[in-house]
Amino acid sequence: MGESVNLDPLFRPSTVAVIGASDKELSIGYRILHNLSTYRFRGTLFPINPKVDSILDYKAYPTIMDVPAEVDLAHIVLRNTLVPDIVEQCGKKGVKVVIVNSAGFKEIGAEGTALEDEVVRIAREYGTRVFGPNCQGVMNSDEAVGLYANFTFTPLRPGHISLIAQSGGVGEVINNRLYELDAGVRLYASNGNACDISIPEILGYMGRDDGTRVIIVHIESLSDPRGFLEAAREVSRSKPVLAMKSGRTEEGAKAVCSHTGMLLQQETTARMIFKKAGVQYFSSHEDICQTAVGFACQPVPEGRGVGIITNTGGPAIIATDELIEAGLEIPSLSNKAKAALEQELHPAASVSNPIDVLATGTPQHFAAGLRALLSEDDIHSILLHFVTPFFVDCPAVAGEIAAVGRAAEKTIASVAMTNKEIWAETLRIVRESGIPTYDFPETAARVLARMTEYGEFRTAARDEHPEERFEVDVEKAKRLLDKKNRGPLPAEDVFSLLECYGIRTVVWKSAHGAKEAIQAAEEIGFPVVLKIDSPEVIHKSDAGGVVLDIRDSKSLRLELERMQDQFAAEDQLYLVQSFWPGGIEVIAGAKAEAGLGHAIMFGLGGIYVEVLKDVAFSLAPLSRREADKLVRAVRAFPLLLGARGKEGADIYSLREMLLRLSQFVSDFPRISEVDLNPISAGNTREATAVLDARIIL
Amino acid sequence: MGESVNLDPLFRPSTVAVIGASDKELSIGYRILHNLSTYRFRGTLFPINPKVDSILDYKAYPTIMDVPAEVDLAHIVLRNTLVPDIVEQCGKKGVKVVIVNSAGFKEIGAEGTALEDEVVRIAREYGTRVFGPNCQGVMNSDEAVGLYANFTFTPLRPGHISLIAQSGGVGEVINNRLYELDAGVRLYASNGNACDISIPEILGYMGRDDGTRVIIVHIESLSDPRGFLEAAREVSRSKPVLAMKSGRTEEGAKAVCSHTGMLLQQETTARMIFKKAGVQYFSSHEDICQTAVGFACQPVPEGRGVGIITNTGGPAIIATDELIEAGLEIPSLSNKAKAALEQELHPAASVSNPIDVLATGTPQHFAAGLRALLSEDDIHSILLHFVTPFFVDCPAVAGEIAAVGRAAEKTIASVAMTNKEIWAETLRIVRESGIPTYDFPETAARVLARMTEYGEFRTAARDEHPEERFEVDVEKAKRLLDKKNRGPLPAEDVFSLLECYGIRTVVWKSAHGAKEAIQAAEEIGFPVVLKIDSPEVIHKSDAGGVVLDIRDSKSLRLELERMQDQFAAEDQLYLVQSFWPGGIEVIAGAKAEAGLGHAIMFGLGGIYVEVLKDVAFSLAPLSRREADKLVRAVRAFPLLLGARGKEGADIYSLREMLLRLSQFVSDFPRISEVDLNPISAGNTREATAVLDARIIL
């Protein structure tokens, strides 16, 4: 879907009308025209204002109908109640996209929602797309376009970072920070209530834009989670997508609702979407901006090995800590590289990794260090620290760094520890070579870690096979599920459904009444477990509806009598299972997420899930890699490998069970919940089976 | 100790000699004199250089002996091998402190260590104190002093943040960033190898300096952990101490060793010291600098309630998330405050907390919002967001904010989302009122959280009673410990020692040979546990030296026969204990940390400690508050409260046990290790006891 949407009239219009353009300098209607003019929009501008002849030397027109040309984009700055009529005029005029800057729509409640619905209805009638309302607008720094359809203040400067923000305030904070960092922004979009043109559509467009190398997204609430997932997943196969999301806490989420009029979104859902789509998650503006700068000007590292070069010891240690904590590696240098460095550097210099060229390091020293690191096979990115001493020719050092950097095919980031006024020239030389200059070692190290992580995601995503499908009995499963409309299924059907999908269960038999139950137990063999099979009895164990480890017919008979007394008539339905002691108790589950499919859950049972909340989630359908990660994501994973002399679990069987569960719920979207609890996880495939389960429609 | 040290000759000298001063502009000897001169040192400068008559218009002297005045401070910039002789001259001259800038000492190995020891020996002989070597120097921005005894580049600007950094590079990064943030630095010290004047001494001096409001410390390795702990603890009762430490990872720690020549320090040790001393720990330069700015210009909040005011929605939501995640609170407004705001704000404004005055918010709107928040009893700090729209008189808004802020007694931090060039005046007005202006909502929120956390620590530290002492039998414990020099103690002595300190143990008896063992068991009552009591058998359980749940004399006799066969002669020493099933298995321990006393450990037993590594540490001697925090610090703490229908543990008994353990090891520094493993934790005092223990000298 997102694929085919053409947002060129929004981001690359030939003609822009500003409806509500004003000649009053402190008005938004003036500011938008002023910005479009200041940043030299390359197309034609039409202020619409019935009261004046011209604004800022542009001839004004009384209405959009009077404009003597086709209009690609109309930016509407009028009171909310006027908007429907104006959109109708735009529709009649054939305007392709309208930006509705005005507030007073969904975010103010029922009345505003009705107004917003009206706007959408009218626009659809004419095939006009709507951006907003209650939004800032868009920008495009492409020199062929020069579009600043926004009332804010950050100057437009060409670059490779594109930016989508639901909240205009947050968008401007990010835009402004990128400006301060000397990084240009390519496309900017802040679409507020997003009644029509959506974040997934914009994301897809940015993904296809050649000038965009990395995309920052700030989200408050995902109105179309599935659409976002699909768009982000597609884009992140070729370009990194970096995200922030407000409303992580309950209090924050409530604030989002009152700010945007959107529904409350679970933080965990957003995290699952980001993970599945390969979107990197940030909780700090500074980090997201600095990371975007790295992606915008350097290639993605092809491995985890980092070479460090420095002219001061302390900061290199900080970088080492950060890199190692982030899972990167600092490989030793080869003897060849060491020998070369011993020749070229000062005798007191350190010729290991990190290379310390000393505070007196010359341009040649830095160049030699860089060349040595670039020639090492197991070094994939370079972290260069450069403090600017008064007694060194710093611009010359920068010149050598720039020369080596320009020719390099590996990722280079630098930490420039300097007074930015005194050494402005030095900084400029390094930056113009495409090497980003960070203020702090930990910043550069974290950026390299994020870039490396993205490289690994991209490789894995490209190598990933389509979702694995097991041979299963879909037809039978469908028949079983069709027996019921909603609510929990009877245990017999639950176990049959799991069988259809090859999810191993303990040996079981369904039995009507005591006689059949005893017969079943004898066929299965003692010891057995007896369970009452009644959807009405929810907490079976607590209610006395489950008895474990029944060793003979006599005991079974006694229990059956007790249950008959307690629960029901003589033809009560029972489930008789083989009793499995031992095995590690694990749990798995699936839960439908509104508009998104199912989340698959995995964890260890008992206290691990109930007290330590040690469970992990991943969105279905799972790939083999995702299922594997899910099993390994719980803190108690070492127990599955076998700990304290106890046997571990067969990880592969657990992974397969999760994949089959994923296939099952993906085939049947009407399933609301599946609980496999507990699963007894043994050290072979045969010793791993579901002991109890629940399915709710 | 730190109390009495007077570092005035270092930080407030009347006369400074630069030994090795040079007229060559690219030399360090020139740069130091130049910096002292540029930043207008208020005392007298004496360049020492036998080859020239004057440098930078200061008369030069051939040697320090030729200076016609007393010299408080000599800054030495000479080759390492020349330093001992020069220090001797300084000693003879009566110089009070020397800064040894030169490298080539302990950090280069044995030869340099010898040279460094020589310098210290000579200096001590003359009572001269040494700062360095292999260091940058010191600065003092006090207008009465104006001392820039350092070769770096960050301009000196008066302020209230003082800074100690072992690494000069890191110190300069922090100093430079504070300069960029428009924050002045009061005292600066980077003492490199720290052969004499130590970080604890400097910290104590800064603590007593009236112009210092907050102290930043960057550490690579603590050479005197106990001294640091004591100094930091003392200082942080009146001023916040913020710390960073390099060498968190093994790789980083190794780099520290080769950089400073210091011993490898455990990261956990540093964290324990910081926690006990109330030192706030940071892993980012940006965070530590921003937090210092907050402390430097605003009072410490007296509670967790935060009021938010904004003129843009999105960023306030981000702040809400951060504040809540940090444990702060965003109280609702009183009806009185709401009523006042409804009168004063725009009808569409939001009169809850956060208060949204809308993008069109006027100076009066902001002032009304601030006043409302200031008058609420349960609001202790205010987070003000201010995006600068073109259509608002921003300097006037700033003026109102400044006026209210100046008179306020609560903590105020602001987030100014703006172009710093266009609205420079607006920013200046706010800052000059003492309200810090942060770029991002999360930054300001995190700073408020740190400030609140410090306020709580300070209150708790002031209220804290001296360490609780239980009545114990120290004399008997001393006699028992004196029986042995080193190694593990016999079980009988271990249990007796615990008894001396009132640490409840299971009922036990020591027995020589089988006969006594049987008698003991009968006195105690079956079931019992039988343990071999031999320091030689370390892993008793694995070796078959422990048998649980022996139910009668006959079984006991069989086990005794087996043990006699397996281990020893007939007079084997045994420990017979009452067998306790049930109870939650917890562990506690103490371990001597070099130069620091003991660390007390607490956790749940079994997989919690072995697989999940879920243990917490705190330095002895513990206060009641620290012991309480220690018990609550483990992730599995909810299990102690009782979970899944099981009984919980008596937290107070566990806390008391930790306090008694702390008192025990603090009384006997020669104890190297105590393990109380397991402790059976029941739901009463009587049901909580040590089942097995080990003490090593």
Side-chain angles (χ1 to χ4, degrees):
Chain A
M1 38 134 283
E3 302 299 321
S4 56
V5 173
N6 180 5
L7 297 180
D8 279 348
L10 177 64
F11 287 107
R12 310 182 73 85
S14 300
T15 48
V16 176
V18 180
I19 306 180
S22 163
D23 55 355
K24 296 191 182 64
E25 285 201 17
L26 291 187
S27 72
I28 295 178
Y30 172 86
R31 177 53 51 184
I32 288 165
L33 196 70
H34 179 271
N35 282 343
L36 283 162
S37 167
T38 303
Y39 296 101
R40 302 198 302 113
F41 175 54
R42 309 301 192 275
T44 314
L45 288 178
F46 303 106
I48 309 296
N49 183 327
K51 296 182 193 153
V52 297
D53 290 337
S54 74
I55 307 173
L56 284 170
D57 294 336
Y58 297 94
K59 176 171 164 46
Y61 297 86
T63 75
I64 187 84
M65 304 303 287
D66 303 309
V67 173
E70 277 200 12
V71 176
D72 288 337
L73 177 64
H75 197 131
I76 302 174
V77 194
L78 291 171
R79 176 189 301 272
N80 57 350
T81 49
L82 301 176
V83 173
D85 281 352
I86 295 296
V87 169
E88 178 129 37
Q89 284 183 28
C90 289
K92 286 183 179 154
K93 173 71 182 170
V95 172
K96 299 197 183 75
V97 180
V98 295
I99 295 175
V100 183
N101 176 98
S102 330
F105 291 90
K106 194 167 64 183
E107 79 283 3
I108 63 163
E111 203 181 327
T113 303
L115 207 59
E116 190 167 311
D117 291 346
E118 173 79 353
V119 168
V120 173
R121 189 189 58 71
I122 295 168
R124 294 246 159 97
E125 201 173 301
Y126 293 97
T128 301
R129 299 296 311 266
V130 184
F131 185 92
N134 185 28
C135 78
Q136 276 185 355
V138 300
M139 300 190 240
N140 183 352
S141 70
D142 184 341
E143 310 245 335
V145 181
L147 179 75
Y148 199 126
N150 193 347
F151 57 82
T152 54
F153 49 75
T154 301
L156 196 64
R157 179 196 282 159
H160 303 290
I161 303 169
S162 287
L163 172 55
I164 313 173
Q166 232 173 319
S167 153
V170 175
E172 188 60 6
V173 167
I174 296 173
N175 194 20
N176 186 52
R177 181 60 184 153
L178 290 171
Y179 177 78
E180 288 178 0
L181 292 173
D182 272 335
V185 167
R186 169 79 174 182
L187 304 176
Y188 175 99
S190 178
N191 65 341
N193 294 9
C195 73
D196 175 25
I197 294 178
S198 68
I199 287 182
E201 285 177 316
I202 300 168
L203 187 56
Y205 183 83
M206 289 174 173
R208 296 187 300 276
D209 171 53
D210 287 340
T212 296
R213 291 188 194 154
V214 49
I215 301 165
I216 295 179
V217 187
H218 180 271
I219 288 161
E220 294 188 331
S221 174
L222 288 166
S223 55
D224 173 15
R226 165 65 57 187
F228 180 85
L229 170 61
E230 283 170 6
R233 205 174 179 193
E234 178 62 30
V235 171
S236 66
R237 279 167 180 265
S238 56
K239 292 175 190 180
V241 180
L242 320 181
M244 284 183 78
K245 184 182 174 297
S246 297
R248 295 198 298 277
T249 60
E250 201 184 321
E251 286 80 354
K254 275 185 206 153
V256 166
C257 298
S258 71
H259 179 220
T260 62
M262 301 249 183
L263 287 176
L264 197 141
Q265 197 102 42
Q266 291 289 337
E267 174 65 7
T268 46
T269 310
R271 296 280 180 119
M272 281 192 290
I273 292 174
F274 293 156
K275 196 166 63 179
K276 191 165 189 85
V279 170
Q280 297 193 329
Y281 182 84
F282 292 80
S283 61
S284 132
H285 289 91
E286 184 68 14
D287 290 349
I288 205 169
C289 291
Q290 299 283 12
T291 305
V293 168
F295 278 117
C297 50
Q298 285 286 311
V300 172
E302 286 178 4
R304 296 188 181 193
V306 185
I308 302 178
I309 176 167
T310 187
N311 64 346
T312 172
I317 298 172
I318 292 173
T320 300
D321 277 340
E322 290 288 338
L323 292 168
I324 296 296
E325 280 185 350
L328 300 196
E329 290 150 16
I330 304 176
S332 306
L333 296 188
S334 65
N335 289 333
K336 197 182 142 209
K338 283 186 183 173
L341 287 170
E342 272 163 12
Q343 290 287 321
E344 300 185 87
L345 302 186
H346 189 281
S350 171
V351 298
S352 50
N353 185 12
I355 300 171
D356 189 341
V357 300
L358 308 182
T360 51
T362 64
Q364 291 68 39
H365 292 157
F366 272 97
L370 280 171
R371 275 195 302 266
L373 296 176
L374 285 169
S375 66
E376 295 283 279
D377 286 341
D378 53 358
I379 287 180
H380 308 95
S381 61
I382 295 174
L383 189 44
L384 183 148
H385 294 78
F386 179 38
V387 64
T388 51
F390 273 115
F391 40 86
V392 166
D393 183 349
C394 294
V397 168
E400 278 295 323
I401 291 171
V404 178
R406 271 207 186 81
E409 284 172 5
K410 293 180 179 174
T411 316
I412 306 181
S414 78
V415 181
M417 293 162 287
T418 188
N419 178 301
K420 297 193 178 80
E421 290 146 28
I422 305 179
W423 283 280
E425 171 70 1
T426 298
L427 282 171
R428 193 190 55 75
I429 294 169
V430 175
R431 275 193 200 156
E432 286 187 357
S433 77
I435 297 175
T437 60
Y438 294 104
D439 288 356
F440 307 119
E442 69 272 17
T443 312
R446 287 172 197 168
V447 170
L448 281 184
R450 290 291 196 144
M451 293 178 74
T452 306
E453 186 194 1
Y454 173 67
E456 292 184 350
F457 165 82
R458 195 173 59 181
T459 305
R462 284 175 179 172
D463 291 352
E464 195 140 63
H465 305 290
E467 275 91 23
E468 201 162 356
R469 278 202 64 90
F470 299 94
E471 273 191 40
V472 297
D473 192 344
V474 188
E475 285 313 312
K476 185 176 172 198
K478 192 167 175 315
R479 280 198 306 276
L480 285 164
L481 286 165
D482 283 347
K483 284 162 64 181
K484 205 162 173 178
N485 272 327
R486 47 177 300 149
L489 300 186
E492 186 183 356
D493 291 353
V494 170
F495 276 81
S496 297
L497 279 163
L498 298 181
E499 251 172 26
C500 290
Y501 272 78
I503 296 170
R504 243 185 100 76
T505 61
V506 67
V507 177
W508 63 278
K509 280 182 186 293
S510 189
H512 274 273
K515 203 177 149 195
E516 271 189 40
I518 293 164
Q519 195 182 338
E522 277 161 0
E523 284 172 31
I524 291 169
F526 287 96
V528 296
V529 176
L530 175 69
K531 293 178 185 170
I532 199 157
D533 182 4
S534 161
E536 279 76 52
V537 187
I538 298 289
H539 296 289
K540 290 193 210 97
S541 296
D542 296 345
V546 178
V547 186
L548 305 176
D549 198 10
I550 302 175
R551 309 213 168 186
D552 49 41
S553 312
K554 192 181 153 206
S555 313
L556 178 58
R557 207 177 308 264
L558 286 170
E559 293 295 347
L560 283 163
E561 278 165 20
R562 183 187 55 74
M563 286 200 193
Q564 273 179 29
D565 286 354
Q566 189 176 347
F567 295 105
E570 288 202 0
D571 68 337
Q572 173 65 44
L573 201 59
Y574 295 100
L575 203 68
V576 184
Q577 302 179 338
S578 175
F579 173 66
W580 280 34
I584 300 172
E585 189 180 313
V586 306
I587 59 171
K591 197 167 183 305
E593 299 274 324
L596 192 63
H598 293 85
I600 306 289
M601 183 269 271
F602 176 77
L604 272 76
I607 48 159
Y608 296 97
V609 52
E610 290 174 27
V611 180
L612 303 177
K613 317 286 181 207
D614 181 19
V615 291
F617 297 88
S618 192
L619 284 176
L622 298 180
S623 69
R624 198 188 284 204
R625 182 177 62 93
E626 287 167 336
D628 203 61
K629 279 194 155 182
L630 185 55
V631 173
R632 288 166 200 274
V634 295
R635 286 199 305 270
F637 176 68
L639 290 179
L640 295 180
L641 291 179
R644 308 187 77 218
K646 287 190 184 153
E647 279 198 338
D650 179 17
I651 308 297
Y652 301 101
S653 299
L654 290 175
R655 186 179 72 183
E656 184 184 317
M657 200 177 271
L658 292 173
L659 287 169
R660 287 177 180 274
L661 173 61
S662 159
Q663 183 172 337
F664 175 41
V665 292
S666 301
D667 284 350
F668 297 101
R670 32 185 308 246
I671 294 174
S672 123
E673 231 179 295
V674 178
D675 271 315
L676 309 181
N677 179 9
I679 300 162
S680 179
N683 65 346
T684 61
R685 191 179 155 76
E686 288 66 36
T688 301
V690 173
L691 303 189
D692 202 359
R694 217 162 54 117
I695 296 175
I696 302 176
L697 297 182
Chain B
M1 38 134 278
E3 302 300 323
S4 57
V5 173
N6 181 5
L7 298 180
D8 278 348
L10 177 65
F11 287 107
R12 311 181 73 85
S14 299
T15 47
V16 176
V18 180
I19 306 180
S22 163
D23 55 357
K24 295 190 183 64
E25 287 201 17
L26 291 188
S27 73
I28 294 179
Y30 172 85
R31 177 54 49 182
I32 287 166
L33 197 69
H34 179 269
N35 282 345
L36 282 162
S37 168
T38 303
Y39 296 101
R40 302 198 303 113
F41 175 54
R42 310 301 193 274
T44 314
L45 288 179
F46 303 107
I48 310 296
N49 183 327
K51 295 183 192 152
V52 297
D53 289 336
S54 74
I55 306 174
L56 285 169
D57 295 337
Y58 296 95
K59 175 171 164 47
Y61 297 86
T63 74
I64 187 84
M65 305 303 287
D66 303 309
V67 173
E70 277 200 12
V71 175
D72 288 338
L73 177 64
H75 198 130
I76 303 174
V77 194
L78 292 170
R79 176 190 301 272
N80 58 348
T81 49
L82 301 176
V83 173
D85 281 353
I86 294 295
V87 169
E88 179 128 39
Q89 284 184 28
C90 288
K92 285 182 179 155
K93 173 70 181 172
V95 172
K96 298 196 182 76
V97 179
V98 293
I99 294 174
V100 183
N101 176 99
S102 330
F105 291 90
K106 195 168 64 183
E107 79 282 5
I108 64 163
E111 203 182 325
T113 303
L115 207 59
E116 190 166 311
D117 291 347
E118 174 79 352
V119 168
V120 174
R121 191 190 56 72
I122 295 168
R124 294 246 158 97
E125 202 174 296
Y126 293 96
T128 301
R129 299 297 309 268
V130 184
F131 185 93
N134 185 28
C135 77
Q136 275 186 356
V138 299
M139 301 190 238
N140 183 354
S141 70
D142 185 341
E143 309 245 336
V145 181
L147 180 75
Y148 199 126
N150 193 347
F151 57 82
T152 55
F153 50 75
T154 301
L156 195 63
R157 178 195 283 159
H160 302 292
I161 304 168
S162 287
L163 173 54
I164 313 173
Q166 232 174 319
S167 154
V170 175
E172 188 60 5
V173 166
I174 296 173
N175 195 19
N176 186 52
R177 182 60 184 153
L178 289 171
Y179 176 78
E180 288 177 357
L181 292 173
D182 273 336
V185 166
R186 169 79 176 185
L187 304 175
Y188 175 99
S190 178
N191 67 340
N193 293 8
C195 73
D196 176 23
I197 293 177
S198 67
I199 286 182
E201 285 177 318
I202 300 167
L203 187 56
Y205 183 83
M206 288 174 174
R208 294 186 301 277
D209 171 52
D210 286 339
T212 296
R213 292 188 193 154
V214 49
I215 301 165
I216 295 178
V217 187
H218 180 271
I219 288 160
E220 293 188 331
S221 174
L222 288 165
S223 57
D224 173 15
R226 166 62 59 186
F228 179 86
L229 170 61
E230 283 170 7
R233 205 174 180 196
E234 177 62 30
V235 171
S236 65
R237 279 167 180 264
S238 56
K239 292 175 191 179
V241 179
L242 320 181
M244 284 183 78
K245 183 183 174 294
S246 296
R248 293 198 300 276
T249 60
E250 203 185 320
E251 287 80 354
K254 275 186 204 151
V256 166
C257 299
S258 71
H259 180 219
T260 62
M262 301 251 182
L263 286 176
L264 195 141
Q265 197 100 42
Q266 289 291 337
E267 173 65 7
T268 48
T269 310
R271 296 279 181 121
M272 280 192 292
I273 292 173
F274 293 156
K275 197 166 62 176
K276 192 166 188 84
V279 170
Q280 296 193 329
Y281 181 84
F282 291 82
S283 61
S284 133
H285 290 91
E286 184 68 13
D287 289 350
I288 205 170
C289 291
Q290 299 283 12
T291 305
V293 168
F295 278 117
C297 50
Q298 284 287 312
V300 172
E302 285 178 5
R304 297 189 180 189
V306 184
I308 303 178
I309 177 167
T310 187
N311 64 345
T312 173
I317 298 172
I318 293 174
T320 300
D321 277 339
E322 290 289 338
L323 292 168
I324 296 296
E325 280 184 351
L328 300 194
E329 289 149 18
I330 303 176
S332 305
L333 296 188
S334 65
N335 289 334
K336 196 182 144 206
K338 283 185 182 175
L341 288 170
E342 272 163 12
Q343 289 287 320
E344 298 183 88
L345 302 186
H346 189 281
S350 171
V351 297
S352 51
N353 185 12
I355 299 171
D356 188 340
V357 299
L358 308 183
T360 51
T362 64
Q364 290 69 38
H365 292 158
F366 273 97
L370 281 170
R371 275 196 303 265
L373 296 176
L374 285 169
S375 66
E376 294 285 278
D377 286 340
D378 52 358
I379 287 181
H380 309 95
S381 61
I382 294 173
L383 188 44
L384 184 149
H385 294 79
F386 181 36
V387 64
T388 51
F390 274 114
F391 41 86
V392 166
D393 182 350
C394 294
V397 168
E400 278 295 321
I401 292 171
V404 179
R406 270 206 187 84
E409 284 172 6
K410 293 180 179 174
T411 316
I412 306 181
S414 76
V415 182
M417 294 163 285
T418 189
N419 179 299
K420 299 193 177 81
E421 290 145 28
I422 305 179
W423 284 280
E425 170 70 2
T426 298
L427 282 172
R428 192 190 55 73
I429 294 170
V430 176
R431 276 195 198 154
E432 286 187 356
S433 77
I435 297 175
T437 59
Y438 294 103
D439 288 357
F440 307 119
E442 70 271 17
T443 311
R446 286 172 196 168
V447 170
L448 280 185
R450 291 290 197 147
M451 293 179 74
T452 306
E453 185 194 2
Y454 173 69
E456 291 183 350
F457 165 83
R458 195 172 62 180
T459 304
R462 284 175 179 172
D463 291 351
E464 195 139 63
H465 305 290
E467 274 91 24
E468 201 162 356
R469 279 201 64 88
F470 299 95
E471 272 192 39
V472 297
D473 192 344
V474 188
E475 283 313 310
K476 185 176 174 199
K478 191 169 177 315
R479 281 198 306 278
L480 284 164
L481 285 165
D482 282 348
K483 283 162 64 181
K484 205 159 173 181
N485 272 328
R486 50 176 299 148
L489 300 186
E492 185 182 355
D493 293 353
V494 170
F495 275 81
S496 297
L497 280 163
L498 298 183
E499 250 172 27
C500 290
Y501 272 78
I503 296 170
R504 245 185 98 76
T505 61
V506 67
V507 178
W508 63 277
K509 280 182 185 291
S510 190
H512 275 273
K515 203 176 149 199
E516 271 187 40
I518 292 164
Q519 195 182 340
E522 277 161 0
E523 284 171 32
I524 292 170
F526 288 96
V528 297
V529 175
L530 176 70
K531 292 179 185 172
I532 198 154
D533 182 3
S534 160
E536 279 76 52
V537 187
I538 297 288
H539 295 289
K540 288 194 211 95
S541 295
D542 295 345
V546 177
V547 186
L548 304 177
D549 199 10
I550 302 175
R551 307 211 170 188
D552 51 39
S553 309
K554 193 180 152 206
S555 312
L556 177 58
R557 208 177 308 266
L558 287 170
E559 292 296 346
L560 284 162
E561 278 166 19
R562 182 186 57 73
M563 285 203 195
Q564 272 179 30
D565 286 355
Q566 188 176 344
F567 295 105
E570 288 202 3
D571 67 340
Q572 175 63 45
L573 202 57
Y574 295 101
L575 202 68
V576 184
Q577 300 180 339
S578 175
F579 173 65
W580 279 33
I584 300 173
E585 190 182 312
V586 307
I587 59 171
K591 196 168 186 304
E593 298 275 324
L596 191 63
H598 293 83
I600 306 290
M601 183 269 272
F602 176 77
L604 272 76
I607 48 159
Y608 296 98
V609 52
E610 289 173 29
V611 180
L612 302 178
K613 317 286 180 207
D614 182 19
V615 292
F617 297 89
S618 191
L619 284 176
L622 298 181
S623 69
R624 196 188 288 204
R625 183 178 61 93
E626 287 167 335
D628 203 61
K629 279 193 156 183
L630 185 55
V631 173
R632 288 166 200 275
V634 294
R635 286 199 304 269
F637 177 68
L639 289 179
L640 296 179
L641 292 179
R644 306 187 79 219
K646 286 187 184 157
E647 279 198 340
D650 179 16
I651 308 297
Y652 301 101
S653 298
L654 291 175
R655 184 180 73 183
E656 184 184 317
M657 200 178 271
L658 292 172
L659 286 169
R660 288 177 180 274
L661 172 62
S662 159
Q663 183 172 338
F664 175 41
V665 293
S666 301
D667 284 350
F668 297 101
R670 22 180 321 240
I671 295 174
S672 125
E673 228 178 297
V674 178
D675 271 316
L676 310 181
N677 180 9
I679 300 162
S680 179
N683 65 347
T684 62
R685 191 179 155 78
E686 289 65 37
T688 302
V690 173
L691 303 189
D692 202 1
R694 219 162 53 117
I695 296 176
I696 303 176
L697 299 181

